[in-house]
Structures are given as C-alpha cells and as structure tokens.
C-alpha cells in the first residue's frame, strides 16, 4: 500500500462515521426517546463518536499531502473538481453533525429541529460518500472506473455503521429494541459486500477486469489478502447471526450475546479495511 495508507484511513474512517450516524442517529431521533431538551445522552455520545472519527480521518489525510500548508486550496475548484466537492461535503457533514449535537445537548429549537438537523447531516453524509467514490472513478485507472467503486464505498459504510450501531444498542438497555433490526441489516450488508468482493472486486473478483500485461512488477499478496477479507466478512456475519439467534432465544448467558456481537463487528470492520487496502493496490502503479 505504501504511501496510500492515509487515503485508506481517511476513506474507511469517513465511511464509518457516515454509516454510524445514519444507522444509530436516525433510530435514536425517531424512537421513543425524546429528541431535544438535552435528554438524549445516547445521541450526545454518538455525535462525539462521529466527530472523533471525522477528526481522525481529517488529520490522517494530511499525511498524504506534499504541501500541507496549501491544503486550503483544495476548496478552490468546487465547480470542476470532485476533490473540492468531497472536502466541502465533508465539512458540511461534520458541521451539521456538530450543530445537531449542540442543539440536542442544549435543548435548543425543540425535537423537530434536532430531528431535522440529524436528517440533514445524514443527507450530507450520503453526498459526501458519493463525492468520495466519484473522485476515484478515473479514466486513467480502468480498475476503479466501474459501478463497483461507489457500491463498495457505500457498502463499507453500511457494514461498519450497522454492526457498530448494533453493538452500541446492545450495550444500551434504553435502546436495545433496535439491536435485532440492526443485526439483520448488518448481516444483509455484509452479504452484499461479500458477494460484490467475490464477483467484482478489481483485480481479483471472479468477473472483475484484469490488468493488462505489463513489464512493471506486480504487487504481491493480493490473493491471500482477498481470501482473508472474504473470510473475515463471512466470520463476522456468522457471529452477528449467532448473536441475533441467541438474543431471540432470550440470551444464552450473561454478556454472551454482547461479546458475540462485538466480535462480529470487529471481523466485519477488518474485512472492510482489507477491502480498502486491496482497492488501492490495484490503483496506479
């Protein structure tokens, strides 16, 4: 992966932040727990987690820049550059999330405003992921220029977001009713990600485009990493499914379902990280 690790970190952390905000924030706003008035302690923790992920993503992305002092110039071409649009939408997503959290914490504007801000933040996050994926669909990199690129970016957000939200809600008795739907959503998301990777992942999917013959040395380790990614996704899905069944049966033992769900989240997230590593390995040599 070499010098592309900051981009791997930025994309994965950004996708995780959007996925978590959508998967956990919307249920928290529209569940029985009152929105606004400073009563949503779960939403406050969620906002802090999302902002922490975005802060880490932004800081790590600077390691990819050769001239960090000129980073502000990346916003200079909103009309023509997907990079500028990505950065603008990143700022909008982060800002609306912070504003939603602040209004909720301070009880400003009432429940309707808090819900509207969370929905606006979710919409900005979706657009942010769209701009992020569009940035990589380059004519000069045929391996990236396919529908698999945006699909894999959105699926990574869904996999990490829904499984992380399931963990958070499983550990929170006040919101535990959302655990089963989120577990089901995470299993479906992982299945879609697994199927897409198996069939269409650039460079190693069964029906993916292959690189043309080249005198340049290939980057070793793709096939084992691809197999490891599929194994991590499959194992994560199995653990999440086991947590779903065990919970439906009435919890087989104290804390056991929570440990199972946490393990499923860790494996699923690891699978998506490996997917992003592989994505950059088939990029420009």
């Amino acid at each position: 992966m070499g010098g592309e690790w900051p981009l791997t970190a930025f994309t994965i952390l950004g996708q995780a932040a959007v996925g978590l905000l959508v998967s956990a924030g919307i249920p928290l706003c529209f569940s029985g727990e009152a929105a606004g008035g400073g009563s949503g302690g779960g939403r406050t923790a969620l906002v802090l987690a999302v902002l922490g992920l975005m802060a880490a993503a932004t800081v790590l992305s600077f390691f990819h820049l050769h001239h960090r002092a000129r980073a502000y110039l990346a916003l200079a071409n909103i009309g023509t550059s997907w990079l500028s649009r990505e950065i603008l939408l990143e700022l909008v997503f982060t800002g609306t999330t912070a504003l939603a959290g602040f209004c909720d914490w301070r009880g400003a504007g009432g429940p309707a405003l808090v819900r509207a801000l969370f929905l606006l933040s979710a919409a900005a996050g979706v657009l942010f992921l769209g701009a992020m994926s569009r940035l990589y669909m380059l004519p000069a990199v045929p391996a990236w220029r396919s529908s698999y690129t945006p699909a894999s970016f959105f699926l990574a957000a869904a996999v990490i977001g829904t499984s992380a939200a399931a963990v958070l809600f499983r550990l929170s008795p006040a919101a535990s009713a959302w655990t089963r739907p989120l577990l089901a959503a995470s299993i479906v998301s992982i299945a879609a990600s697994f199927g897409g990777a198996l069939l269409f992942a650039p460079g190693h999917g069964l029906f993916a485009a292959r690189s043309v013959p080249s005198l340049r040395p290939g980057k070793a380790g793709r096939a084992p990493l691809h197999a490891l990614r599929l194994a991590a996704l499959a194992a994560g899905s199995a653990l999440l499914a086991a947590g779903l069944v065990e919970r439906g049966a009435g919890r087989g033992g104290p804390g056991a379902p929570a440990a199972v769900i946490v393990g499923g989240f860790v494996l699923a997230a690891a699978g998506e990280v490996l997917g992003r590593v592989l994505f950059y390995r088939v990029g420009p040599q």
Side-chain angles (χ1 to χ4, degrees):
M1 185 167 52
E4 304 303 333
W5 71 263
L7 295 180
T8 299
F10 173 78
T11 52
I12 282 291
L13 291 172
Q15 290 156 15
V18 174
L20 183 58
L21 188 281
V22 173
S23 300
I26 304 305
L28 282 175
C29 279
F30 292 89
S31 63
E33 183 183 0
S39 62
R43 287 189 300 275
T44 300
L46 171 67
V47 167
L48 292 175
V50 171
L51 294 179
L53 288 170
M54 291 306 300
T58 301
V59 170
L60 292 174
S61 70
F62 276 85
F63 287 92
H64 182 70
L65 302 178
H66 294 289
H67 303 285
R68 298 181 180 90
R70 301 178 187 175
Y72 67 94
L73 295 175
L75 283 169
N77 298 304
I78 299 295
T80 58
S81 169
W82 281 105
L83 175 61
S84 296
R85 296 166 189 166
E86 177 196 42
I87 295 172
L88 175 63
L89 289 166
E90 174 193 357
L91 294 174
V92 172
F93 169 67
T94 305
T96 52
T97 300
L99 182 59
F102 177 79
C103 289
D104 192 31
W105 174 55
R106 297 293 296 175
L113 177 62
V114 171
R115 288 172 178 153
L117 288 173
F118 268 98
L119 288 174
L120 181 61
S121 178
V126 170
L127 292 175
F128 167 51
L129 293 187
M132 181 191 293
S133 60
R134 183 61 181 82
L135 173 62
Y136 288 99
M137 298 180 70
L138 303 172
V141 189
W144 288 352
R145 193 173 174 81
S146 73
S147 58
Y148 179 78
T149 293
S152 67
F153 279 33
F154 278 95
L155 282 172
V159 168
I160 299 175
T162 54
S163 57
V167 170
L168 294 177
F169 286 170
R170 169 61 185 86
L171 298 176
S172 173
S176 60
W178 286 96
T179 305
R180 284 178 61 79
L182 283 166
L183 282 173
S186 66
I187 293 167
V188 171
S189 299
I190 294 171
S193 184
F194 180 95
L198 178 66
L199 299 176
F200 304 116
H204 37 261
L206 296 178
F207 300 105
R210 294 294 190 272
S211 301
V212 297
S214 172
L215 294 177
R216 292 176 176 177
K219 295 184 178 181
R222 291 180 183 176
L225 281 180
H226 180 56
L228 184 60
R229 181 199 180 187
L230 294 178
L233 289 174
S237 179
L239 285 179
L240 292 169
L244 180 62
V245 171
E246 196 168 347
R247 183 167 175 77
R251 300 186 187 180
V260 168
I261 294 172
V262 170
F265 159 68
V266 170
L267 286 170
E272 293 304 331
V273 172
L274 288 172
R276 196 60 59 239
V277 170
L278 288 166
F279 176 81
Y280 284 110
R281 285 198 173 197
V282 299
Q285 302 291 316

